[in-house]
Amino acid sequence: MSRLRLWVPPLALAGLIFVLSSLSQVPGAGYVWDKLAHLAVFGALCLLTLRATHGGPRPLAPGPATAAFLLTLLWGVLDEVHQSFVPGRDASARDIVADALGAALAVLVWAAWRGTARIPRALGGGEG
């Protein structure tokens, strides 16, 4: 699978997040549901971004994992900035925290599901 095709799903989900953020009222959004939705959606976004940054379903590697986490977190911050311009919506630091928790959980899920890449001894790992 080409690397470009790996980026289609996370970009599509990021677009959907943008569209939903453009709505003045998101259907079914209560406080608890809102935070769980942020956690789940940004966790899914991070999983898709992990797949893209790793070039497919490969063991967790620090560089691609950090890039995926930071890209997801950046989109969460930009989402909140975008919402601050939408009538009836506002920016929320708590939403960004929920987004970050979802992304962090996604990295943990990926590590548990795919394992971790061996770190060469020269970089501080025990394997050679």
Side-chain angles (χ1 to χ4, degrees), residues 85-114:
F85 294 102
V86 176
R89 303 288 295 267
D90 58 3
S92 167
R94 290 182 177 150
D95 285 349
I96 294 170
V97 170
D99 299 344
L101 286 173
L105 285 172
V107 172
L108 293 175
V109 166
W110 187 278
W113 178 49
R114 287 312 208 182

Side-chain angles (χ1 to χ4, degrees), residues 28-124:
Y31 181 78
V32 172
W33 170 247
D34 178 60
K35 300 310 172 240
L36 289 175
H38 273 267
L39 189 121
V41 170
F42 280 85
L45 179 60
C46 190
L47 280 173
L48 293 171
T49 306
L50 281 163
R51 183 172 163 262
T53 59
H54 280 83
R58 298 202 168 104
L60 185 72
T66 301
F69 177 83
L70 291 176
L71 285 170
T72 303
L73 185 57
L74 176 62
W75 193 249
V77 170
L78 292 174
D79 175 53
E80 292 305 312
V81 171
H82 171 240
Q83 284 183 39
S84 72
F85 294 102
V86 176
R89 303 288 295 267
D90 58 3
S92 167
R94 290 182 177 150
D95 285 349
I96 294 170
V97 170
D99 299 344
L101 286 173
L105 285 172
V107 172
L108 293 175
V109 166
W110 187 278
W113 178 49
R114 287 312 208 182
T116 56
R118 292 184 187 176
I119 300 172
R121 183 171 288 159
L123 296 176

